[in-house]
């Protein structure tokens, strides 16, 4: 094949190489691309190339003459020449650790430490990446502190509920969340597009009894469904449903699948919310199969085997991935109970983790 070059046993397409030239004409000092990928010739030829220990140099043939050099570090970091087997194992072995009822690794991070030490903050945020959920304790119970917590890693995602929302039992509640009633395991706001990818819940006042928090790893539930009931899994990945919320001042609607997978079959998001799932609308022939698949998935999510429960005390704060981890409230809350909640997005958290990683590595070196 002459449309590629080898470097340390890995294949790279010529077009990929030309597109990723790191020279000053091709990259701005910010690292951003200067040439337009869509304008590159697809039939590039190489005049000469040489692979050495420190990298690969390529002289491109006329009429597309150009000189490129790729460091070994760059090529190995971006190599995509894995055999499919390897790729699959890697895909299941990302940082994510799936969990079920036996989950007992969820550490309580100290608020004061997290706001004063980069390493402690890194550990706290890493839990969200790995388990989809992290817990902070001893967060001051002054109302509004939750917004300060978000500033530690990202930006508040405002919604029609405001910058934050009060989880309190109120008269004429527009949402079951604002009653003392139990809430089955759910992801919040699947009726938004895009859906908030992170959620925080901060306990200011603990109930006298009840109001227990349940959490389920939706990715683990999806994995179990795929294994036990592949056809049901397939249906939930391909048949969209409508989620809807309407109040006096908002009408929010989004049609999407309950399980979202990428082109490689990796689960990217789950959406499940008994309260906001609109009347199902799909081909007549599919309806009963869909109900069955939906019930199987929800049953796995709500099962004892899948969920862990904990009671939030005053000053406890949960930060979780709202596209992966489902949360719920078990047993009617007795007495006054007050939580504050708010939303944020994952990109801010990922960015903060990456920056902290660099800074912490610098401190060690
Ligand atoms: C919510 C919610 C859980 C609780 O408000 O979205 O799920 O424990 N609350 O009150
Ligand atoms: Zn170049
Ligand atoms: Zn909720």
């Amino acid at each position: 094949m002459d449309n590629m070059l080898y470097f340390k046993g890995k294949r790279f397409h010529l077009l990929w190489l030309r597109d990723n030239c790191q020279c000053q004409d091709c990259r701005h000092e910010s690292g951003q691309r200067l040439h337009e990928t869509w304008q590159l010739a697809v039939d590039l030829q190489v005049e000469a190339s040489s692979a050495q220990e420190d990298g690969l140099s390529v002289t491109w043939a006329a009429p597309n003459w150009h000189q490129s050099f790729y460091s070994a570090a760059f090529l190995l970091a971006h190599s995509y020449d894995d055999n499919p087997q390897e790729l699959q194992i890697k895909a299941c072995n990302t940082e994510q650790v799936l969990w079920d009822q036996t989950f007992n690794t969820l550490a309580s991070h100290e608020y004061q430490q997290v706001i004063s030490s980069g390493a402690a903050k890194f550990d706290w945020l890493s839990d969200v990446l790995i388990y989809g959920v992290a817990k902070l304790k001893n967060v001051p119970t002054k109302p509004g502190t939750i917004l300060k917590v978000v500033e530690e890693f990202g930006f508040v995602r405002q919604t029609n509920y405001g910058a934050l929302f009060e989880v309190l039992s109120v008269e004429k509640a527009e949402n079951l969340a604002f009653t003392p009633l139990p809430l089955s395991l759910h992801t919040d706001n699947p009726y938004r597009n895009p859906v908030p990818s992170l959620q925080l819940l901060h306990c200011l006042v603990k109930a006298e009894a009840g109001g227990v928090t349940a959490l389920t790893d939706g990715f683990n539930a999806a994995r179990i469904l795929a294994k036990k009931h592949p056809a049901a899994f397939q249906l939930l990945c391909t048949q969209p449903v409508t989620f809807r919320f309407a109040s006096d001042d908002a009408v929010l609607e989004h049609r999407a699948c309950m399980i979202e997978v990428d082109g490689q079959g990796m689960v990217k998001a789950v959406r499940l919310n008994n309260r906001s799932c609109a009347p199902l609308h799909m081909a007549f022939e599919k309806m009963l199969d869909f109900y069955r698949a939906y019930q199987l998935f929800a049953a796995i999510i709500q099962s004892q085997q899948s969920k862990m429960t904990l009671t939030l005390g005053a000053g406890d704060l949960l930060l979780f991935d709202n596209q992966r981890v489902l949360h719920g409230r078990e047993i009617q809350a007795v007495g006054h109970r007050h939580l504050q909640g708010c939303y944020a997005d994952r990109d801010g958290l990922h960015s903060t983790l990456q920056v902290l990683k660099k800074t912490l590595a610098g401190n060690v070196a």
Side-chain angles (χ1 to χ4, degrees):
M1 288 258 275
D2 55 3
N3 67 347
M4 62 174 174
L5 287 174
Y6 278 87
F7 185 75
K8 295 199 193 267
K10 303 284 189 195
R11 294 168 300 172
F12 294 89
H13 292 98
L14 296 185
L15 185 56
W16 187 96
L17 286 168
R18 182 62 192 83
D19 191 29
N20 288 290
C21 179
Q22 300 291 304
C23 84
Q24 283 180 0
D25 290 340
C26 296
R27 296 278 148 174
H28 180 251
E29 60 189 19
S30 63
Q32 297 203 318
R33 183 182 280 100
L34 288 170
H35 62 254
E36 291 289 324
T37 300
W38 67 274
Q39 289 176 327
L40 293 176
V42 291
D43 54 352
L44 291 161
Q45 304 282 321
V46 170
E47 188 177 294
S49 73
S50 110
Q52 275 128 18
E53 198 45 40
D54 63 338
L56 174 71
S57 42
V58 181
T59 307
W60 302 93
N64 300 298
W65 193 90
H66 195 75
Q67 185 66 45
S68 303
F69 177 76
Y70 310 87
S71 71
F74 175 84
L75 291 175
L76 296 179
H78 296 282
S79 160
Y80 53 94
D81 189 15
D82 297 307
N83 67 45
Q85 188 92 29
E86 235 180 278
L87 192 68
Q88 193 142 19
I89 295 164
K90 254 207 284 182
C92 308
N93 267 351
T94 51
E95 308 91 335
Q96 287 168 357
V97 173
L98 305 187
W99 51 267
D100 61 14
Q101 176 199 34
T102 59
F103 186 43
N104 49 17
T105 8
L106 185 64
S108 275
H109 300 268
E110 261 306 327
Y111 175 70
Q112 279 305 330
Q113 277 179 5
V114 159
I115 60 170
S116 53
S117 142
K121 188 189 282 186
F122 184 85
D123 287 347
W124 166 55
L125 298 177
S126 294
D127 273 5
V128 181
L129 212 65
I130 301 169
Y131 307 112
V133 50
K135 188 177 155 194
L136 272 184
K137 63 178 179 188
N138 298 319
V139 180
T141 53
K142 187 166 162 239
T145 309
I146 194 167
L147 300 177
K148 289 221 162 79
V149 175
V150 177
E151 283 168 19
E152 292 293 324
F153 67 82
F155 306 94
V156 171
R157 164 87 184 272
Q158 293 222 25
T159 69
N160 56 304
Y161 301 127
L164 59 76
F165 52 92
E166 308 287 345
V167 186
L168 270 175
S169 177
V170 297
E171 295 289 316
K172 292 227 167 57
E174 62 180 28
N175 191 315
L176 277 182
F178 311 138
T179 71
L181 295 173
L183 298 174
S184 58
L185 281 147
H186 61 278
T187 57
D188 262 27
N189 296 197
Y191 41 77
R192 291 185 202 285
N193 182 19
V195 71
S197 44
L198 292 175
Q199 182 171 352
L200 296 91
L201 284 174
H202 179 202
C203 180
L204 304 182
V205 182
K206 184 183 165 184
E208 281 159 36
V212 174
T213 300
L215 297 170
T216 289
D217 183 349
F219 287 4
N220 189 50
R223 185 186 59 84
I224 294 171
L225 183 72
K227 203 160 138 203
K228 288 196 179 159
H229 308 284
F233 176 80
Q234 195 56 31
L235 198 49
L236 297 190
C237 294
T238 48
Q239 173 62 56
V241 299
T242 302
F243 293 99
R244 187 178 154 85
F245 173 83
S247 64
D248 288 345
D249 56 0
V251 176
L252 295 157
E253 203 171 276
H254 185 47
R255 192 157 170 84
C257 290
M258 289 187 178
I259 303 177
E260 197 178 303
V261 291
D262 68 11
Q264 265 82 45
M266 288 279 293
V267 176
K268 286 288 172 215
V270 297
R271 290 182 187 81
L272 196 93
N273 192 316
N274 194 62
R275 286 168 281 154
S276 61
C277 189
L280 295 179
H281 191 111
M282 62 191 66
F284 185 88
E285 293 70 26
K286 268 195 181 174
M287 187 61 84
L288 292 184
D289 283 345
F290 189 89
Y291 264 108
R292 169 141 176 82
Y294 175 15
Q295 289 180 330
L296 283 169
F297 187 42
I300 294 170
I301 285 171
Q302 314 284 344
S303 75
Q304 290 298 341
Q305 288 78 16
S306 296
K307 71 183 175 192
M308 76 156 159
T309 52
L310 68 162
T311 303
L312 295 179
D316 287 344
L317 183 149
L318 288 177
L319 164 60
F320 51 91
D321 185 327
N322 185 48
Q323 293 185 291
R324 170 177 171 189
V325 171
L326 300 100
H327 64 286
R329 177 167 76 208
E330 299 201 327
I331 320 171
Q332 175 142 350
V334 180
H336 179 62
R337 176 178 187 263
H338 187 186
L339 266 53
Q340 286 190 322
C342 86
Y343 303 113
D345 280 310
R346 252 194 222 137
D347 55 350
L349 184 143
H350 287 188
S351 159
T352 303
L353 268 172
Q354 297 288 349
V355 172
L356 279 171
K357 201 170 174 176
K358 275 200 285 190
T359 324
L360 294 169
N363 288 350
V364 171

